[in-house]
Amino acid sequence: MVTGAGPRIVADETRCVGAGQCVLTAPDLFDQSEDEGTVLVLDDRPGEDVLEAVREAVHICPSGALSLREPRELREPREPRDS
């Protein structure tokens, strides 16, 4: 697995219900804590080779606890506001 500088996986452990769908979809990137059963992100900067599995895990998460955030340098520059 190649770690990339692309999107970052963000997990909200307070929203996680411990369904484990992320672990089943991408076991190299996700695990569950032994105490709470909530999501653990093993690599928050996945390589291009696993992005499709990450997107699937984000999509099927029943609680919406997972998201992908683009790095700032990939975002569109904001237009200056008129005063």
Side-chain angles (χ1 to χ4, degrees):
M1 176 173 30
V2 177
T3 301
R8 182 174 154 247
I9 301 170
V10 177
D12 183 347
E13 295 173 19
T14 63
R15 290 186 72 174
C16 180
V17 296
Q21 296 302 307
C22 55
V23 179
L24 293 172
T25 304
D28 291 338
L29 299 172
F30 301 101
D31 200 353
Q32 290 177 274
S33 72
E34 290 186 27
D35 297 333
E36 303 292 324
T38 55
V39 64
L40 297 173
V41 179
L42 302 176
D43 182 358
D44 70 342
R45 299 280 186 173
E48 286 288 325
D49 58 325
V50 293
L51 271 181
E52 192 59 39
V54 172
R55 287 186 179 102
E56 179 67 15
V58 168
H59 177 73
I60 66 172
C61 178
S63 64
L66 297 175
S67 62
L68 269 178
R69 304 266 170 89
E70 295 292 332
R72 283 194 160 160
E73 58 271 10
L74 296 179
R75 293 185 184 165
E76 292 292 320
R78 290 185 177 179
E79 294 294 322
R81 294 184 183 191
D82 292 342
S83 300

